[in-house]
Amino acid sequence: MKTLLFVLLWISMTFSVSANDGYKLWLDYQPIEDANLKIQASQLFSGIYFFGESPTYDVIRKELQIAAPKLVGSAPQFKTERLAETQVWLGKREELSQVLGLQQQTELRQLGEEGYWRGTIDFQGKTYYAIIGNRPIGVLYGVFDWLKSIQTETFDPKLEKSDSPKVKLRMLNHWDNLDRTVERGYAGFSIWDWHKLPGYIDPRYIDYARANASIGINAVSLTNVNANARILTTDFMKKAKVLADLFRPYGIKVFLTARFSAPIEIGGLKTADPLDPEVIAFWKKKTDEMYSFIPDFGGYLVKANSEGQPGPHEYQRNHAEGANLLADALAPHGGVLIWRAFVYSHELDEDRHKHANLEFEPLDGKFRENVIIQVKNGAIDFMPREPFHPLFGAMDSTNLGMEFQITQEYLGQATQLVYLAPMWEEVFRSKTYRPTPAATVAGIVDGTDSGQKLTLVAGVSNIGTDRNWTGHLMAQSNWYAFGRMAWNPELSSEEIADEWVKMTFGQKPEPLAKIKEILLESREAAVNYMMPLGLHHIMGWDHHYGPGPWVTGGRPDWTSLYYHQADSLGIGFDRTASGSDALGQYAPEIVEAWSDPTQIPEKYLLWFHHLPWDFKLPSGRTLWDEIGLHYDAGVKSARQIQANWNSLESEIDPERFDHVRQLLAIQVQEAEWWRNSCLLYFETFAKRPFPAEIEKPTGDLEEYKSRKFPTAPGIRPKW
Ligand code: BDP
């Protein structure tokens, strides 16, 4: 009996140890396997000394208390005597000035407010490992980077490293409503429990802040861009203050979305006209009040005159007049106003693609210095692949920020594994040819090509109350990659994947190689089985789940037909000079190359051209055949990804293995569903046989069309 009990206990302990529900993200700190590194790291952890004090140093202590026991099996020792028994020195440049050489000091100073340096310092015959920043937040970033090097077993004390972010505001945009539903959220409800705030502090808030700080995210907008004015009432300011206070030591500033009509809704005014003195006074008073609660409040994020949101146009004022109103209220406090460029006409546009440039380009130079225009990566709406937005490079005298979507609204939502970093990399590396011939989107956004000082990369969050935060475990890689790329838009998706996999799944060569391959192939796979060759906006109506190339009715620019324009002759949206000429909004070099359907990169072909089904591609195949081959290749890649994962069963803990295994089985079915239904639908126009090399699409088009998903998550409120 005793033995049986012992065995049961042993089994349950073993399982609880190996169970991994993904809550800890990439900060799981698995035991170090390399024996030398383990000795080295435990020695370093045994003598840590802080120069000075700061709430951020308390955060560092807590992180080391979590990390060290797991990495090396013993708790870190914090010393109060600088020299005796210390191994690691942490602190600000000023406080270490006596021990730093002049050159080191100058180099460090150049790293700015958030940068850090780590390496060894020789002092009075002894060598110390030091992590130094100009401010405590730099030290925190340096410590996270150091811990990462230990986790990924790349730490070498002899290697000096310094780093600083290339972008000033690295920001998550939560599309979270006050009732905790999340627009386009696929990971449960909002982590902000407004009802229980300010009294109750969910421990998740701290883990959220840790995760963000570990990847350099330094700003969060807590609320949906389809905003509720109530967030600006005193009661809610008190709640937001609690979060701001918690996040401050982690270097994270809080922003809130401001509803343009708030003066009417919560201010009792009859108008929200940006030039009205009472409206100006309302925003000034509101903003002053906000800063009385949150002295380092980041600012407002505004969606105006877009998809039914109120804005300055109601009063015949333009975006600059609207944005400047709020910017002026924020300026005395050092706040930033982020104004979104995702606008399209209330009436129908000839081509929605052109709308933002038509509205914003004429306003170049008219925005205050503390305004950033936040531009989505492409001109339509976070499609699986879009050419970069033509506003990048078209507004020389305005701060332009990037908006990516981390939540996978159009990329498989919660059921698909799609690593988004390759998409962001593609966008960042796109050449704009403006303002200089060598300019890229990254260079405009980080200021190197545009010269702008106030820089921003924002990402629509994929975080919710699901135990693993992101619904799909592998979607954690997108949160991670977003932070890393916002810090440095030049990083490659490959190196970020390498870091994330090592920190999440460990170093073993086989799983490492296979999971990396899975990640790196996933986005192209999704593009292929969803919207290849520049096809776009052909997803399901409203919930945006699954295929819907047949979607029609209602606003034409919300239908699929508006975008694919398939007919008996061909398919695609002619955006060249002979069509809508949206292409004309790009630099002449691009116009020239992309106007020609034989020159344009194939991936953008049907985005800019309407072509006959028999159009010959460089491959020698017809357009119709090539469409079929791409859809089919996408399905085959999805199956390959599944097979790769399934081969890792013995390498990964059962809980995470099975979670991903089940979701990949759904993904393969969904990939087949996309391919089958899109090809069967397009065939009704093309009336041509499917290419011989592909699996013939199965199923019944009418049945595909009739599918309904009333419980699909994340649907936006109606307007
Ligand atoms: C679209 C979403 C919608 C958002 C909108 C936006 O479908 O829910 O409100 O973008 O960015 O992608 O404002």
Side-chain angles (χ1 to χ4, degrees), residues 575-591:
R575 294 194 165 106
T576 66
S578 59
S580 77
D581 201 23
L583 183 53
Q585 293 179 328
Y586 290 88
E589 290 87 338
I590 296 183
V591 177

PDB file of all heavy atoms in Angstrom, residues 575-591:
ATOM      1  N   ARG A 575      -5.331  48.683 -60.185  1.00  0.00           N
ATOM      2  CA  ARG A 575      -4.992  49.927 -59.470  1.00  0.00           C
ATOM      3  C   ARG A 575      -3.891  50.689 -60.201  1.00  0.00           C
ATOM      4  O   ARG A 575      -3.227  51.551 -59.637  1.00  0.00           O
ATOM      5  CB  ARG A 575      -4.562  49.615 -58.034  1.00  0.00           C
ATOM      6  CG  ARG A 575      -5.672  49.053 -57.172  1.00  0.00           C
ATOM      7  CD  ARG A 575      -5.346  49.063 -55.689  1.00  0.00           C
ATOM      8  NE  ARG A 575      -6.524  48.852 -54.898  1.00  0.00           N
ATOM      9  CZ  ARG A 575      -6.844  47.728 -54.234  1.00  0.00           C
ATOM     10  NH1 ARG A 575      -6.022  46.693 -54.283  1.00  0.00           N
ATOM     11  NH2 ARG A 575      -7.950  47.641 -53.549  1.00  0.00           N
ATOM     12  N   THR A 576      -3.685  50.356 -61.468  1.00  0.00           N
ATOM     13  CA  THR A 576      -2.711  51.102 -62.273  1.00  0.00           C
ATOM     14  C   THR A 576      -3.416  52.338 -62.834  1.00  0.00           C
ATOM     15  O   THR A 576      -4.593  52.582 -62.543  1.00  0.00           O
ATOM     16  CB  THR A 576      -2.187  50.248 -63.443  1.00  0.00           C
ATOM     17  OG1 THR A 576      -3.296  50.009 -64.340  1.00  0.00           O
ATOM     18  CG2 THR A 576      -1.637  48.913 -62.963  1.00  0.00           C
ATOM     19  N   ALA A 577      -2.693  53.088 -63.666  1.00  0.00           N
ATOM     20  CA  ALA A 577      -3.266  54.314 -64.236  1.00  0.00           C
ATOM     21  C   ALA A 577      -4.524  54.025 -65.047  1.00  0.00           C
ATOM     22  O   ALA A 577      -5.412  54.870 -65.170  1.00  0.00           O
ATOM     23  CB  ALA A 577      -2.216  55.001 -65.093  1.00  0.00           C
ATOM     24  N   SER A 578      -4.642  52.821 -65.584  1.00  0.00           N
ATOM     25  CA  SER A 578      -5.852  52.519 -66.350  1.00  0.00           C
ATOM     26  C   SER A 578      -7.017  52.141 -65.431  1.00  0.00           C
ATOM     27  O   SER A 578      -8.150  52.043 -65.874  1.00  0.00           O
ATOM     28  CB  SER A 578      -5.577  51.385 -67.348  1.00  0.00           C
ATOM     29  OG  SER A 578      -5.143  50.247 -66.630  1.00  0.00           O
ATOM     30  N   GLY A 579      -6.739  51.958 -64.166  1.00  0.00           N
ATOM     31  CA  GLY A 579      -7.802  51.636 -63.202  1.00  0.00           C
ATOM     32  C   GLY A 579      -7.930  52.748 -62.178  1.00  0.00           C
ATOM     33  O   GLY A 579      -8.010  53.925 -62.539  1.00  0.00           O
ATOM     34  N   SER A 580      -7.908  52.384 -60.891  1.00  0.00           N
ATOM     35  CA  SER A 580      -8.108  53.405 -59.854  1.00  0.00           C
ATOM     36  C   SER A 580      -6.888  54.297 -59.658  1.00  0.00           C
ATOM     37  O   SER A 580      -6.955  55.331 -59.020  1.00  0.00           O
ATOM     38  CB  SER A 580      -8.429  52.726 -58.523  1.00  0.00           C
ATOM     39  OG  SER A 580      -7.240  52.201 -57.937  1.00  0.00           O
ATOM     40  N   ASP A 581      -5.762  53.876 -60.176  1.00  0.00           N
ATOM     41  CA  ASP A 581      -4.484  54.579 -60.031  1.00  0.00           C
ATOM     42  C   ASP A 581      -4.036  54.758 -58.578  1.00  0.00           C
ATOM     43  O   ASP A 581      -3.327  55.712 -58.251  1.00  0.00           O
ATOM     44  CB  ASP A 581      -4.502  55.934 -60.746  1.00  0.00           C
ATOM     45  CG  ASP A 581      -3.074  56.413 -61.048  1.00  0.00           C
ATOM     46  OD1 ASP A 581      -2.168  55.553 -61.117  1.00  0.00           O
ATOM     47  OD2 ASP A 581      -2.863  57.621 -61.175  1.00  0.00           O
ATOM     48  N   ALA A 582      -4.434  53.850 -57.704  1.00  0.00           N
ATOM     49  CA  ALA A 582      -3.867  53.886 -56.349  1.00  0.00           C
ATOM     50  C   ALA A 582      -2.356  53.722 -56.414  1.00  0.00           C
ATOM     51  O   ALA A 582      -1.626  54.256 -55.580  1.00  0.00           O
ATOM     52  CB  ALA A 582      -4.475  52.774 -55.493  1.00  0.00           C
ATOM     53  N   LEU A 583      -1.892  53.017 -57.412  1.00  0.00           N
ATOM     54  CA  LEU A 583      -0.449  52.812 -57.577  1.00  0.00           C
ATOM     55  C   LEU A 583       0.274  54.153 -57.707  1.00  0.00           C
ATOM     56  O   LEU A 583       1.402  54.313 -57.246  1.00  0.00           O
ATOM     57  CB  LEU A 583      -0.205  51.924 -58.807  1.00  0.00           C
ATOM     58  CG  LEU A 583       1.230  51.523 -59.120  1.00  0.00           C
ATOM     59  CD1 LEU A 583       1.922  50.883 -57.931  1.00  0.00           C
ATOM     60  CD2 LEU A 583       1.252  50.566 -60.315  1.00  0.00           C
ATOM     61  N   GLY A 584      -0.413  55.123 -58.301  1.00  0.00           N
ATOM     62  CA  GLY A 584       0.171  56.455 -58.486  1.00  0.00           C
ATOM     63  C   GLY A 584       0.508  57.149 -57.174  1.00  0.00           C
ATOM     64  O   GLY A 584       1.193  58.170 -57.176  1.00  0.00           O
ATOM     65  N   GLN A 585       0.048  56.604 -56.064  1.00  0.00           N
ATOM     66  CA  GLN A 585       0.378  57.215 -54.766  1.00  0.00           C
ATOM     67  C   GLN A 585       1.764  56.790 -54.270  1.00  0.00           C
ATOM     68  O   GLN A 585       2.230  57.289 -53.258  1.00  0.00           O
ATOM     69  CB  GLN A 585      -0.684  56.844 -53.725  1.00  0.00           C
ATOM     70  CG  GLN A 585      -2.043  57.472 -54.040  1.00  0.00           C
ATOM     71  CD  GLN A 585      -3.111  57.106 -53.031  1.00  0.00           C
ATOM     72  OE1 GLN A 585      -3.090  56.018 -52.461  1.00  0.00           O
ATOM     73  NE2 GLN A 585      -4.058  57.998 -52.824  1.00  0.00           N
ATOM     74  N   TYR A 586       2.381  55.870 -54.963  1.00  0.00           N
ATOM     75  CA  TYR A 586       3.736  55.443 -54.578  1.00  0.00           C
ATOM     76  C   TYR A 586       4.779  56.250 -55.372  1.00  0.00           C
ATOM     77  O   TYR A 586       4.442  56.980 -56.316  1.00  0.00           O
ATOM     78  CB  TYR A 586       3.911  53.947 -54.872  1.00  0.00           C
ATOM     79  CG  TYR A 586       3.117  53.034 -53.952  1.00  0.00           C
ATOM     80  CD1 TYR A 586       1.811  52.673 -54.255  1.00  0.00           C
ATOM     81  CD2 TYR A 586       3.683  52.532 -52.786  1.00  0.00           C
ATOM     82  CE1 TYR A 586       1.078  51.826 -53.415  1.00  0.00           C
ATOM     83  CE2 TYR A 586       2.974  51.692 -51.941  1.00  0.00           C
ATOM     84  CZ  TYR A 586       1.668  51.333 -52.264  1.00  0.00           C
ATOM     85  OH  TYR A 586       0.958  50.507 -51.434  1.00  0.00           O
ATOM     86  N   ALA A 587       6.038  56.064 -55.020  1.00  0.00           N
ATOM     87  CA  ALA A 587       7.131  56.763 -55.703  1.00  0.00           C
ATOM     88  C   ALA A 587       7.211  56.323 -57.170  1.00  0.00           C
ATOM     89  O   ALA A 587       6.846  55.197 -57.505  1.00  0.00           O
ATOM     90  CB  ALA A 587       8.456  56.445 -55.000  1.00  0.00           C
ATOM     91  N   PRO A 588       7.700  57.221 -58.041  1.00  0.00           N
ATOM     92  CA  PRO A 588       7.758  56.899 -59.485  1.00  0.00           C
ATOM     93  C   PRO A 588       8.484  55.591 -59.791  1.00  0.00           C
ATOM     94  O   PRO A 588       8.086  54.858 -60.700  1.00  0.00           O
ATOM     95  CB  PRO A 588       8.510  58.088 -60.082  1.00  0.00           C
ATOM     96  CG  PRO A 588       8.415  59.180 -59.073  1.00  0.00           C
ATOM     97  CD  PRO A 588       8.148  58.574 -57.737  1.00  0.00           C
ATOM     98  N   GLU A 589       9.532  55.280 -59.040  1.00  0.00           N
ATOM     99  CA  GLU A 589      10.276  54.030 -59.280  1.00  0.00           C
ATOM    100  C   GLU A 589       9.346  52.827 -59.122  1.00  0.00           C
ATOM    101  O   GLU A 589       9.423  51.852 -59.866  1.00  0.00           O
ATOM    102  CB  GLU A 589      11.424  53.862 -58.278  1.00  0.00           C
ATOM    103  CG  GLU A 589      12.583  54.823 -58.445  1.00  0.00           C
ATOM    104  CD  GLU A 589      12.375  56.146 -57.706  1.00  0.00           C
ATOM    105  OE1 GLU A 589      11.209  56.502 -57.414  1.00  0.00           O
ATOM    106  OE2 GLU A 589      13.381  56.820 -57.459  1.00  0.00           O
ATOM    107  N   ILE A 590       8.481  52.900 -58.123  1.00  0.00           N
ATOM    108  CA  ILE A 590       7.557  51.789 -57.875  1.00  0.00           C
ATOM    109  C   ILE A 590       6.474  51.775 -58.945  1.00  0.00           C
ATOM    110  O   ILE A 590       6.135  50.722 -59.499  1.00  0.00           O
ATOM    111  CB  ILE A 590       6.950  51.899 -56.455  1.00  0.00           C
ATOM    112  CG1 ILE A 590       8.052  51.746 -55.407  1.00  0.00           C
ATOM    113  CG2 ILE A 590       5.844  50.863 -56.250  1.00  0.00           C
ATOM    114  CD1 ILE A 590       7.595  51.752 -53.975  1.00  0.00           C
ATOM    115  N   VAL A 591       5.968  52.960 -59.258  1.00  0.00           N
ATOM    116  CA  VAL A 591       4.920  53.032 -60.284  1.00  0.00           C
ATOM    117  C   VAL A 591       5.427  52.387 -61.564  1.00  0.00           C
ATOM    118  O   VAL A 591       4.734  51.568 -62.184  1.00  0.00           O
ATOM    119  CB  VAL A 591       4.506  54.504 -60.551  1.00  0.00           C
ATOM    120  CG1 VAL A 591       3.477  54.581 -61.671  1.00  0.00           C
ATOM    121  CG2 VAL A 591       3.966  55.153 -59.268  1.00  0.00           C
TER     122      VAL A 591
END
